[in-house]
Amino acid sequence: MKSLKTNIYFKVGTIFFIGLLLLIPTSMIENLIYERESTQKEAINEVSSKWANEQTLSGPFISIPYDKYIKEYSKKDSTTKVVKVKEFIHILPNELKITGKINPEQRNRGIYQIVVYNSKITISGKFKNFNSSEYDIPEKDIIFNKAQFTLGINDLRGIEKQINLNWNDKSYSFNPGVISDDIVKSGMNAQIEINPTDNSYSSFSFEIDLKGSQILYFTPVGKTTDVTIESSWKTPSFNGAFLPDSRKVTDSGFKANWNILHLNRNYPQTWTNNTYNISNSSFGIDLILPVGNYQKTYRSIRYAILFIVFTFIVFFFIEILNKIFIHPIQYILVGIALIVFYSLLLSLSEHLKFDVSFIISALATLLLIAGYVKAILKSTPLMYLISGILLILYTFIFVIIQLEDFALLIGSIGIFIILGLVMYFSRKIDWYNLNISEENEEKK
């Protein structure tokens, strides 16, 4: 047993094995982070399902049905007959202007916060008069009196009040549903009058009170689309196919404006049936919460192996340079304390701000390890040495988490410096002639 105790290769192998074992609880905490994040998403989905989900306003557009005659061959009696089927012409507006105000609210489900909103949106614009010569369709087959003005809405439960369409100074009531799912699957429609002989533009306008959860998107269906949205939310994220042409974000909220041309998207102003998909051009606002505790905790635990390896290297050098013996069980206890830090961080960050949680967890772990080192090594200088090194490591990780854009650069530089320090302090060690505690054992 004495030979194993002083055998440097046995010691290195034991430390390496302990380090590998500690990766198991590290992996378990990573899984716990994913589990808690999934629970948060479930809470968000639960609240959204009762309030209203994320909303995308697709349109408005006009759908005009027409009769199409096709030949159908019957194998049963070897005859051919002509069958009438209904298809649709879809027309997008020449001008589209959207203005709106979002009123956000924070709801709680257990310990989780969810963002929902009420919005008041005004939509107006103009349609170019229908020209049947643009289509290879006989005008007699086009059913003008069944034309539908359609607006796609993801979740109709978000509609707060009855909506009336002002079409050429006439009022029409919207009805739920869509007459064709060529462009949208869910929405509302109003049957309007179209005069094919009228060459003037048709104007429209309506207001909609819409509620939803976290996201509000729009589609640039106009030949020119102008969208202006304002809100009291302080931390918006502008996402989708287009970013705002101008935006202003202050402590009192934000205001953003998009101006998009039909040349900026990959579909025309008119087509038949389901030839084109407009959903890929959607853009808008994500009312994100100004915290990402689970993402930050996950990012910090990715450096757990660095903590374990560097702490164990320091302990190993203390053994070699000070001719003392640290038992493998003591390595294990210190390693577990380093892993428990992440469990503390995860649990505290669900109730406190992440930065505060990190500081509390780091200080608690430092005090625990410092007290244990003082007890087993009976040396105040060594206790300060270990505590100082861990403090530097925790500060290093904290800085990396804050600087997301420069995390790779700072992390690479930090690891390079750590490697340089290890090489510097180990430069004079004779690795071929090492005894860990031989002198101490002889004195006993």
Side-chain angles (χ1 to χ4, degrees), residues 1-274:
M1 186 66 184
K2 179 181 177 181
S3 60
L4 288 177
K5 184 177 181 180
T6 59
N7 188 300
I8 187 64
Y9 302 107
F10 176 76
K11 170 63 69 172
V12 171
T14 302
I15 294 173
F16 180 75
F17 181 70
I18 292 171
L20 290 180
L21 283 180
L22 289 173
L23 292 179
I24 297 175
T26 301
S27 177
M28 293 173 64
I29 293 179
E30 284 188 21
N31 292 334
L32 182 60
I33 294 171
Y34 282 122
E35 180 184 332
R36 300 298 290 178
E37 188 173 23
S38 298
T39 304
Q40 182 190 44
K41 290 178 180 178
E42 289 174 4
I44 292 173
N45 292 334
E46 183 182 352
V47 173
S48 299
S49 65
K50 293 177 173 58
W51 178 263
N53 291 307
E54 301 170 354
Q55 297 285 18
T56 298
L57 297 183
S58 303
F61 56 90
I62 294 174
S63 296
I64 304 175
Y66 68 94
D67 294 328
K68 184 176 181 180
Y69 298 89
I70 59 174
K71 291 182 179 180
E72 189 176 87
Y73 177 75
S74 175
K75 292 182 179 181
K76 185 177 180 180
D77 53 8
S78 300
T79 59
T80 301
K81 60 180 179 179
V82 177
V83 178
K84 183 173 71 172
V85 296
K86 181 179 289 186
E87 295 187 348
F88 294 88
I89 302 168
H90 304 294
I91 306 170
L92 305 186
N94 261 48
E95 298 177 15
L96 177 62
K97 184 174 182 179
I98 300 174
T99 59
K101 185 172 183 179
I102 302 174
N103 298 310
E105 299 178 24
Q106 289 192 38
R107 300 293 177 93
N108 294 308
R109 175 66 69 184
I111 62 173
Y112 303 109
Q113 288 186 325
I114 298 97
V115 182
V116 297
Y117 62 82
N118 284 286
S119 63
K120 192 173 188 65
I121 301 169
T122 301
I123 301 176
S124 61
K126 292 181 179 180
F127 277 90
K128 183 181 177 181
N129 185 61
F130 179 80
N131 186 356
S132 59
S133 63
E134 296 179 5
Y135 307 92
D136 189 18
I137 303 172
E139 188 169 313
K140 65 181 180 61
D141 293 331
I142 302 174
I143 312 172
F144 291 103
N145 62 349
K146 296 291 184 181
Q148 299 284 338
F149 184 99
T150 303
L151 177 69
I153 302 175
N154 281 15
D155 193 343
L156 294 176
R157 293 174 305 167
I159 299 175
E160 293 282 79
K161 299 178 181 178
Q162 175 62 43
I163 306 169
N164 293 315
L165 169 67
N166 186 317
W167 174 263
N168 288 335
D169 296 325
K170 292 183 179 181
S171 181
Y172 299 87
S173 294
F174 275 103
N175 298 306
V178 294
I179 62 168
S180 167
D181 61 0
D182 290 342
I183 299 180
V184 295
K185 309 295 182 184
S186 173
M188 59 182 185
N189 72 89
Q191 186 170 318
I192 57 175
E193 297 177 4
I194 290 183
N195 184 358
T197 62
D198 187 358
N199 294 323
S200 62
Y201 281 83
S202 297
S203 61
F204 68 90
S205 65
F206 61 94
E207 291 185 351
I208 176 171
D209 291 343
L210 186 69
K211 63 182 183 180
S213 299
Q214 190 168 330
I215 287 176
L216 178 60
Y217 275 19
F218 306 92
T219 52
V221 294
K223 196 168 186 179
T224 60
T225 302
D226 186 89
V227 178
T228 302
I229 300 295
E230 60 180 309
S231 173
S232 59
W233 193 252
K234 302 175 185 178
T235 56
S237 176
F238 303 105
N239 295 318
F242 301 95
L243 293 177
D245 291 286
S246 64
R247 61 180 179 179
K248 184 179 181 182
V249 182
T250 65
D251 290 338
S252 59
F254 75 86
K255 184 174 183 179
N257 173 262
W258 293 259
N259 195 283
I260 302 164
L261 303 177
H262 70 297
L263 297 174
N264 303 138
R265 37 157 239 229
N266 198 28
Y267 49 87
Q269 288 302 113
T270 180
W271 66 85
T272 58
N273 303 320
N274 59 350

Side-chain angles (χ1 to χ4, degrees), residues 284-399:
I285 306 102
D286 186 349
L287 304 178
I288 60 173
L289 286 166
V291 291
N293 292 346
Y294 295 115
Q295 292 83 354
K296 289 181 178 179
T297 305
Y298 177 73
R299 287 176 59 201
S300 66
I301 203 171
R302 294 171 70 180
Y303 294 91
I305 187 64
L306 175 66
F307 272 80
I308 295 170
V309 169
F310 193 63
T311 303
F312 283 6
I313 287 175
V314 172
F315 272 55
F316 180 64
F317 282 0
I318 288 174
E319 288 192 72
I320 293 174
L321 299 175
N322 293 275
K323 299 295 182 179
I324 59 176
F325 180 77
I326 300 177
H327 196 275
I329 295 297
Q330 294 167 330
Y331 274 93
I332 292 174
L333 290 175
V334 172
I336 292 175
L338 293 173
I339 301 302
V340 169
F341 159 77
Y342 297 103
S343 178
L344 281 173
L345 177 60
L346 174 61
S347 57
L348 288 175
S349 64
E350 291 184 333
H351 303 276
L352 303 173
K353 291 183 178 179
F354 180 83
D355 294 353
V356 175
S357 303
F358 190 99
I359 293 171
I360 293 174
S361 303
L363 288 177
T365 306
L366 279 173
L367 290 173
L368 178 63
I369 294 177
Y372 187 66
V373 168
K374 178 68 184 301
I376 64 174
L377 300 183
K378 296 179 174 57
S379 171
T380 301
L382 291 178
M383 179 196 71
Y384 285 131
L385 173 65
I386 296 293
S387 301
I389 290 171
L390 288 176
L391 180 61
I392 292 172
L393 281 176
Y394 282 123
T395 304
F396 171 62
I397 300 302
F398 184 77
V399 170

